[in-house]
Amino acid sequence: MRSIVFAKRVIKEMLRDPLSYIFCLGFPIVMLIVMTVIDRSIPNEAGMTIFHIQSLLPGIEVFGLTFIMLFTALQVSKDRSTAFLIRLYASPMRPIDFVCGYTLAISIIAVCQVLITFGVGFVMGQFIDYSFHIGYLIAGMAVLIPSALMFIGIGMFFGTLLNDKAAPGICSIIITVVSMLGGIWMDIDMIGGTITKVAHALPFYQGVNGARMAVLGNFGELAKPLCIILIYAFLIYCASALVFGRKMKSDLT
């Protein structure tokens, strides 16, 4: 119950910020439209399939989740810098209540982002003569849930560890890493070598790859990326709860 009450407050705070609408909900749609227009102008002879909407849609959505991470870090770091959270520290709330409250509130925004982006992608597919399989789209959205939780966990970790000036900078670095090694804008497997090995070891590539497999109906190899993402998400949440608990004690002393 305490987590739910706290989650309602977090949702209200994030909805007051117009940038949350622009980046968390609007930006993935704009990127999807722009990249689809670019894909339509690329000759078929080029063999560039990564910008086809069936591959682009899952990648764009994972990229959109990085902005959920950024706003999570901003929200947590801003709360820590005010007297509001310090007063809550004196309440019966435990660190796990704060973590669950943030997760519940921001997960709702992340789910809205996924639903809107996939809905727009489905409609766009009709205009460019590509029909998404509804069941596969739903599976793709489900596969993105662990990635969403992982990015929320990363945002809470850096929002707890750093202030509201430093946290966005670190999150911007992670956004850049996701762009370069997530396989969103390029085929990482074609590069080969160390870069491909590093990308495969990170959860960002696995999140994009897993969502693409689901959207295309390739469920046979889906277990590996899902397991990797879930392991990362679990470890990140454990670290977030541990850091939040320690910061909570240090702020009270």
Side-chain angles (χ1 to χ4, degrees):
M1 178 60 72
R2 291 190 293 259
S3 298
I4 295 175
V5 173
F6 182 65
K8 291 180 180 178
R9 177 262 171 190
V10 175
I11 291 175
K12 291 179 180 178
E13 287 295 318
M14 293 193 73
L15 291 179
R16 289 194 185 106
D17 188 355
L19 289 177
S20 63
Y21 299 100
I22 297 172
F23 284 98
C24 293
L25 300 179
F27 186 71
I29 296 174
V30 173
M31 290 296 296
L32 183 62
I33 295 173
V34 170
M35 299 310 297
T36 299
V37 171
I38 292 175
D39 177 62
R40 301 294 288 178
S41 65
I42 298 175
N44 293 331
E45 293 77 11
M48 185 72 70
T49 61
I50 198 167
F51 290 155
H52 291 356
I53 194 166
Q54 62 269 33
S55 296
L56 184 66
L57 179 59
I60 289 288
E61 180 48 43
V62 172
F63 187 65
L65 290 174
T66 62
F67 291 96
I68 297 288
M69 170 193 66
L70 174 60
F71 277 90
T72 303
L74 279 171
Q75 187 63 52
V76 175
S77 59
K78 285 181 179 177
D79 286 345
R80 286 185 50 250
S81 65
T82 64
F84 170 77
L85 208 55
I86 295 177
R87 290 197 300 270
L88 285 182
Y89 286 164
S91 71
M93 289 187 68
R94 301 164 298 172
I96 190 64
D97 295 324
F98 288 103
V99 172
C100 290
Y102 281 120
T103 301
L104 178 60
I106 301 169
S107 292
I108 294 174
I109 297 174
V111 168
C112 289
Q113 183 194 82
V114 172
L115 289 173
I116 292 172
T117 305
F118 270 59
V120 172
F122 176 80
V123 173
M124 287 178 59
Q126 304 302 309
F127 283 100
I128 60 176
D129 299 325
Y130 182 85
S131 296
F132 283 100
H133 189 287
I134 298 295
Y136 295 167
L137 271 185
I138 294 173
M141 289 188 281
V143 168
L144 284 167
I145 292 175
S147 292
L149 293 174
M150 179 191 67
F151 281 115
I152 293 171
I154 295 173
M156 283 193 295
F157 178 80
F158 287 112
T160 303
L161 198 62
L162 305 171
N163 58 36
D164 56 344
K165 301 294 191 298
I170 297 298
C171 289
S172 297
I173 294 174
I174 296 175
I175 292 174
T176 302
V177 172
V178 174
S179 299
M180 296 177 63
L181 299 179
I184 300 171
W185 315 117
M186 67 184 81
D187 190 347
I188 294 293
D189 293 329
M190 289 184 63
I191 299 175
T194 303
I195 293 178
T196 299
K197 292 179 181 179
V198 171
H200 283 199
L202 295 174
F204 315 126
Y205 169 84
Q206 301 297 339
V208 174
N209 193 40
R212 282 175 177 160
M213 287 180 181
V215 169
L216 294 173
N218 299 329
F219 301 111
E221 300 177 0
L222 195 55
K224 178 182 176 181
L226 270 179
C227 288
I228 293 175
I229 299 166
L230 286 170
I231 291 171
Y232 269 97
F234 175 76
L235 294 175
I236 289 167
Y237 263 89
C238 289
S240 298
L242 180 62
V243 171
F244 197 97
R246 289 185 177 180
K247 283 288 184 181
M248 187 173 176
K249 290 180 181 179
S250 63
D251 290 341
L252 285 175
T253 57

